[in-house]
Amino acid sequence: MQATSIVLQENLALKKSLAAPLWVCRVFLSPTMAVRPHEEYELALAPTLAPPPPLYRVLLLNDDYTPMEFVIEVLEQVFHLGREQATRVMLKVHNEGVGIAGLYPRDVAETKVHQVTEYAQSQQHPLQCVMEEDR
């Protein structure tokens, strides 16, 4: 006894307008097959959003040797800050010993730290950049 039979038919009207053939699937239920109410098939899950990823602060650390202009250049090139904002962050690094260059997801923060470190070393500056989880 076959409860369902599936019939595949080629839709000729659409085939002429499409490059590839389009197949339509029709399912026919036998009269003896019990059908459950539609509500049983719906999942009773409330829509949930994934929590945002934890963010990390990328920090520049002060030293006595890296020129202020170089720190501004790094902030403009790596962190895409404007000249005014880069100058503010540089002064915070200079006066307080540490400044927040940006707030990023972990992978992006790691990349930024690596870019700053590599660029500073290539220019023979001891500028240090670290990351810490934002609280």
Side-chain angles (χ1 to χ4, degrees), residues 12-23:
L12 297 176
L14 290 176
K15 183 181 178 184
K16 294 177 184 176
S17 63
L18 298 174
L22 177 67
W23 295 89

Side-chain angles (χ1 to χ4, degrees), residues 7-120:
V7 178
L8 297 175
Q9 296 178 336
E10 188 175 3
N11 189 329
L12 297 176
L14 290 176
K15 183 181 178 184
K16 294 177 184 176
S17 63
L18 298 174
L22 177 67
W23 295 89
V24 177
C25 178
R26 293 187 181 155
V27 177
F28 297 99
L29 301 175
S30 72
T32 59
M33 183 174 180
V35 178
R36 295 181 184 175
H38 180 66
E39 293 81 29
E40 290 184 26
Y41 290 104
E42 293 179 7
L43 296 177
L45 297 177
T48 58
L49 296 175
L55 297 177
Y56 290 79
R57 287 186 253 172
V58 178
L59 307 171
L60 292 179
L61 306 179
N62 190 33
D63 62 70
D64 293 334
Y65 304 102
T66 304
M68 292 180 183
E69 192 59 40
F70 180 77
V71 176
I72 292 172
E73 180 184 334
V74 166
L75 290 165
E76 289 175 337
Q77 290 183 5
V78 176
F79 298 97
H80 307 288
L81 298 181
R83 184 72 167 185
E84 187 176 317
Q85 183 65 27
T87 303
R88 277 194 222 123
V89 173
M90 179 275 299
L91 287 173
K92 191 163 183 108
V93 171
H94 180 71
N95 294 326
E96 299 177 18
V98 66
I100 299 173
L103 196 61
Y104 303 98
R106 183 177 180 188
D107 293 344
V108 176
E110 287 175 347
T111 302
K112 298 285 186 186
V113 169
H114 180 72
Q115 288 174 336
V116 170
T117 305
E118 290 294 315
Y119 184 58

Side-chain angles (χ1 to χ4, degrees), residues 122-135:
S122 73
Q123 300 298 311
Q124 300 178 350
H125 292 297
L127 180 64
Q128 292 188 20
C129 185
V130 295
M131 64 184 252
E132 66 179 27
E133 189 167 4
D134 190 37
R135 297 177 227 96

